[in-house]
């Protein structure tokens, strides 16, 4: 299928010397560059998917650069070879025994690890500020969560880390648990003692799995914390499209085998991965890996400098705070607004109008994502607009309110899987209190469920969701986002955990 005839330089629609010379170290990037060059040269008459057949005169340039892994980056029968080589190189870079590239985000990675670690009614120690994707991973695997909670910083209302002692206690009280699954760094960049968690898990004879969706750059500069495997974890999931310059949806799942079995990891990974992975996404993960291998320290150094400069400048603005210190991933920029009286949504609207949309904003915080793709100039330009906006909306300082996602203390009545499949009905909010939730409801961002299948619906949970909504937040995944009605398990008589 994909031919390897050398293509003349002037036939190519992009720099044929490839993005900064990464091609020779990145087999999937090489496959993508070859395929797209052949497309550009009009050499292919594909009689296989994708159905657009590389024509841009049907739906336009939206399909430009789309190349399937199988039958694009290499032939359908041979593409597994460069894929395995690219994944091997990533495993080596991260110090893993096993690695897979996902084209379905850390969402898929979390679910693959859940399916790999246990199932069928086994217990697992999980942080309650988990991303909704992991909760659905518990449903798929049939795992029963034993929730552990992070400390909440009273001053900011934001979550810190889950204390190691909390995990130790949970492991002691649930000796049959099959693993510990934590999110670290948290959505707001707070980091915990992963080495301590790994030791606690290993003493109990179970693996530590870590959702590091936001932090694919960890471990690539002495000024950064080690990544989860370096800290002793058995597996990590990370979104290459978040912290690294990969296509949207690109993610990497890495594991040390021993406590986790490679065969089971592969089966779990394939269970919910598409059979038609986008080669463009896979190639961009490969390219990001090659970039990190070559320039990781330099790029992360610049990132660290940019964020340090931003924090320094921001704390000089009266009332503005930033999350900082040893418990915070140093490249995370969380801007605290309560002391200025400005509302985060108003600031966000100004930033969107300026073409500078941020990852997240709620009343008290604005979270821009700064990555290795940013330079001093972009960050300085962003700060100018941010500070001007804060000044424009300055009002009376207030005490920050902790977001519903961080404070929820659920009462689990049914396992997430039992609840997911149970008969359910729709009832008015007033009648939902005291019933068992059939649905997952999460303000997004951060995508942390306030209500999950199998949890008792409390007046406090409904109230906190309503507060987010009244404030202009997005209530995701609810059957009725107005929150007038809720989906509850039919006739379930609550039995508490
Ligand atoms: C902590 C965490 N884990 C996993 C995910 C899912 O990542 P993805 O969007 O790559 O599927 C997210 C998404 O925001 C997240 O915040």
């Amino acid at each position: 299928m994909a031919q390897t005839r050398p293509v003349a330089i002037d036939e190519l629609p992009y720099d044929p010397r490839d993005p900064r010379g990464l091609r020779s170290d990145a087999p999937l990037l090489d496959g993508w560059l070859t395929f797209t060059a052949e497309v550009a040269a009009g050499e292919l008459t594909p009689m296989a998917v994708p159905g657009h057949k590389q024509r841009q005169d049907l739906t336009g340039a939206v399909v430009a650069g789309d190349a399937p892994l199988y039958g694009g980056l290499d032939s359908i029968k041979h593409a597994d070879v460069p894929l395995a080589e690219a994944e091997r190189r990533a495993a080596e870079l991260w110090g893993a025994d096993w690695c897979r590239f996902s084209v379905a985000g850390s969402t898929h990675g979390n679910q693959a690890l859940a399916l790999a670690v246990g199932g069928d009614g086994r217990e697992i120690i999980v942080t309650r500020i988990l991303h909704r994707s992991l909760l659905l991973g518990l449903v798929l695997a049939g795992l029963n969560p034993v929730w552990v909670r992070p400390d909440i910083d009273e001053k900011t209302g934001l979550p810190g880390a889950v204390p190691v002692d909390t995990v130790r206690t949970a492991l002691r009280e649930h000796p049959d648990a099959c693993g510990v699954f934590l999110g670290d760094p948290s959505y707001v960049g707070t980091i915990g003692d992963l080495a301590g968690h790994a030791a606690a898990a290993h003493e109990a004879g179970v693996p530590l799995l870590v959702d590091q969706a936001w932090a694919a750059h960890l471990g690539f500069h002495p000024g950064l914390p080690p990544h989860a495997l370096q800290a002793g974890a058995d597996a990590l999931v990370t979104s290459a499209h978040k912290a690294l310059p990969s296509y949207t949806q690109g993610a990497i799942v890495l594991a040390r085998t021993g406590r986790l079995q490679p065969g089971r990891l592969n089966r779990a990974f394939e269970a919910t991965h598409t059979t038609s992975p986008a080669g463009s996404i896979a190639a961009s993960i490969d390219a990001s890996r090659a970039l990190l291998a070559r320039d990781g320290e330099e790029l992360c150094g610049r990132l660290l400098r940019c964020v340090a400069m931003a924090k320094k400048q921001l704390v000089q603005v009266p009332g503005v705070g930033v999350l900082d210190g040893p418990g915070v991933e140093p490249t995370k920029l969380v801007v605290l607004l309560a002391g200025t009286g400005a509302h985060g949504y108003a600031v966000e609207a100004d930033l969107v109008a300026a073409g500078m949309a941020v990852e997240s904003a709620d009343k008290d915080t604005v979270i821009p994502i700064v990555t290795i793709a940013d330079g001093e100039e972009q960050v300085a330009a962003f700060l100018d607009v941010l500070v001007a906006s804060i000044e424009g909306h300055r009002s009376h300082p207030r005490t920050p309110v902790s977001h519903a996602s961080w404070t929820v203390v659920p009462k689990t009545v049914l396992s997430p899987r039992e609840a997911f499949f149970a008969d359910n009905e729709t009832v008015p909010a007033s009648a939902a209190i005291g019933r068992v939730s059939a649905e997952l409801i999460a303000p997004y961002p951060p995508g942390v469920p306030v209500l999950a299948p199998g949890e008792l619906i409390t007046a406090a949970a409904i109230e906190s969701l309503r507060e987010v909504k009244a404030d202009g937040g997005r209530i995701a995944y609810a059957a009725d986002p107005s929150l007038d009605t809720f989906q509850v398990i039919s006739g379930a008589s609550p039995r508490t955990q």
Side-chain angles (χ1 to χ4, degrees):
M1 179 69 185
Q3 296 151 28
T4 50
R5 178 185 78 76
V7 177
I9 283 179
D10 57 7
E11 289 177 72
L12 300 181
Y14 43 77
D15 180 356
R17 287 162 299 266
D18 90 81
R20 309 183 64 229
L22 299 174
R23 183 176 194 163
S24 62
D25 178 35
L28 296 180
L29 173 64
D30 182 45
W32 184 86
L33 289 168
T34 301
F35 179 78
T36 50
E38 288 168 354
V39 168
E43 290 173 358
L44 304 180
T45 308
M47 297 308 289
V49 290
H52 55 65
K53 302 289 182 102
Q54 306 299 329
R55 284 179 59 173
Q56 291 186 31
D57 59 334
L58 296 171
T59 53
V62 70
V63 294
D66 181 36
L69 171 65
Y70 295 103
L73 272 47
D74 204 327
S75 70
I76 290 176
K77 295 197 172 55
H78 195 258
D80 278 340
V81 173
L83 173 65
E85 177 55 20
E87 291 171 338
R88 188 196 65 73
R89 290 176 193 215
E92 190 175 88
L93 184 66
W94 267 273
D97 303 319
W98 178 93
C99 169
R100 297 300 307 269
F101 291 174
S102 173
V103 301
S106 288
T107 295
H108 168 241
N110 273 335
Q111 294 171 357
L113 286 186
L115 287 166
V117 70
D120 258 355
R122 297 280 308 269
E123 285 187 322
I124 184 162
I125 315 297
V126 189
T127 167
R128 188 54 179 75
I129 61 165
L130 78 178
H131 185 253
R132 49 106 41 195
S133 59
L134 178 53
L135 203 131
L136 272 304
L138 305 182
V139 169
L140 290 174
L143 286 164
N144 292 342
V146 174
W147 299 124
V148 285
R149 297 170 47 74
D151 293 330
I152 302 292
D153 178 358
E154 275 178 24
K155 273 213 313 275
T156 62
L158 294 173
V162 177
V164 174
D165 277 349
T166 305
V167 166
R168 274 189 195 284
T169 305
L171 283 165
R172 213 172 27 249
E173 290 173 357
H174 298 268
D176 292 333
C178 63
V180 177
F181 210 140
L182 300 176
D184 195 285
S186 71
Y187 186 77
V188 295
T190 43
I191 49 177
D193 175 9
L194 282 184
H197 287 300
H202 297 165
E203 280 160 29
V206 297
L208 171 67
L209 314 144
V210 186
D211 175 351
Q212 295 211 299
W214 291 98
H217 57 298
L218 293 194
F220 289 96
H221 188 282
L224 288 169
H227 61 67
L229 296 185
Q230 288 169 331
D234 298 87
L236 79 81
V237 177
T238 192
S239 295
H241 72 95
K242 293 194 196 304
L244 302 183
S246 293
Y247 259 102
T248 296
Q249 294 183 205
I252 310 177
V253 194
L254 296 140
R256 291 232 177 83
T257 53
R259 291 177 194 86
L260 295 166
Q261 300 166 7
R264 172 75 177 267
L265 283 161
N266 273 326
R267 288 194 293 280
F269 181 91
E270 295 294 356
T272 52
H273 202 219
T274 173
T275 48
S276 313
S280 34
I281 299 178
S284 73
I285 299 172
D286 191 26
S288 290
R289 188 273 314 150
L291 180 69
L292 267 188
R294 199 190 60 189
D295 299 337
E297 187 161 337
E298 178 198 328
L299 291 169
C300 290
R302 183 179 68 179
L303 173 61
L304 282 160
R305 284 196 303 281
C306 282
V307 175
M309 177 266 286
K311 287 183 178 176
K312 197 168 160 198
Q313 194 172 323
L314 284 167
V315 293
Q316 282 159 17
V317 180
V320 174
V322 293
L323 278 196
D324 207 8
V328 180
E329 198 273 280
T331 72
K332 193 80 177 183
L333 187 54
V334 177
V335 186
L336 308 171
L337 294 178
T340 70
H343 193 302
Y345 289 155
V347 173
E348 180 184 32
D350 288 346
L351 291 167
V352 169
M356 296 178 171
V358 290
E359 157 63 25
S360 161
D362 60 21
K363 189 174 182 180
D364 296 324
T365 60
V366 171
I367 308 183
I369 300 295
V370 189
T371 75
I372 59 173
D374 292 303
E376 281 88 351
E377 268 176 42
Q378 287 97 317
V379 176
F382 170 75
L383 290 178
D384 285 348
V385 178
L386 174 66
V387 172
S389 171
I390 293 171
E391 293 303 350
H393 298 288
R394 197 175 269 292
S395 178
H396 300 295
R398 56 175 185 267
T399 307
V401 179
S402 198
H403 196 284
S405 297
W406 313 138
T407 51
V408 60
V409 185
K411 194 162 261 185
T412 302
V413 177
L414 288 178
S415 76
R417 186 179 172 89
E418 275 178 289
F420 190 88
F421 292 111
D423 289 342
N424 61 81
E425 62 198 42
T426 303
V427 298
S430 55
I433 295 164
R435 301 289 298 271
V436 181
S437 181
E439 54 184 341
L440 183 154
I441 305 182
Y444 216 109
V448 173
V450 167
L451 266 181
E455 290 179 359
L456 205 62
I457 302 178
T458 59
I462 294 182
E463 190 47 38
S464 62
L465 284 168
R466 284 190 170 147
E467 273 166 23
V468 173
K469 189 175 155 43
D471 227 15
R474 170 183 160 218
I475 302 293
Y477 316 117
D480 175 4
S482 75
L483 300 173
D484 288 342
T485 62
F486 287 79
Q487 301 218 314
V488 301
I489 306 296
S490 303
S493 55
R495 61 178 158 81
T496 43
Q497 200 186 38

